Amino acid sequence: MLNESSNHIKDSCDCHVSLPQAPIGSVEVSISCSSNQSSVSCSSEGDQITYNWTLNGIILEQGPMVRNTTIQLNETSAIGNISCSVKNHVSHAQKTIG
């Protein structure tokens, strides 16, 4: 662009900065039981992680994850394999217990 008053050329550009994301670390799943309920926790490291809980392939809960997520299950409905899947734009990981 030419600036008429000073006869200088001005450059303009659109700059996009892309910051790398940390990949998913190992997924850890733990269970604690009390009376008729189980508390299942899932934790992982990484940037902008989303999680997905499934029981025998059926999605129970999903959303953004900050360090860990916990789900409550009653013992009669928690028969089978429960999985915690975590992912971001760089990688994904899953841990299944049953």
Side-chain angles (χ1 to χ4, degrees):
M1 174 182 288
L2 182 61
N3 186 332
E4 300 279 332
S5 62
S6 63
N7 292 330
H8 289 106
I9 296 175
K10 291 184 178 181
D11 291 325
S12 66
C13 68
D14 291 329
C15 297
H16 300 279
V17 177
S18 177
L19 300 175
Q21 287 185 343
I24 300 296
S26 63
V27 179
E28 301 296 327
V29 176
S30 62
I31 300 175
S32 62
C33 300
S34 62
S35 57
N36 291 337
Q37 266 199 338
S38 296
S39 178
V40 187
S41 296
C42 179
S43 62
S44 187
E45 298 287 328
D47 293 332
Q48 298 180 357
I49 299 174
T50 58
Y51 71 90
N52 187 353
W53 282 110
T54 59
L55 178 62
N56 299 322
I58 299 169
I59 296 174
L60 299 176
E61 188 175 297
Q62 56 190 5
M65 180 172 162
V66 179
R67 299 270 184 216
N68 64 31
T69 180
T70 301
I71 192 166
Q72 304 294 325
L73 302 169
N74 67 40
E75 290 183 10
T76 57
S77 68
I79 298 170
N81 297 320
I82 188 158
S83 297
C84 178
S85 302
V86 294
K87 68 178 180 177
N88 64 11
H89 294 291
V90 179
S91 62
H92 68 277
Q94 178 176 316
K95 178 90 176 221
T96 301
I97 57 174

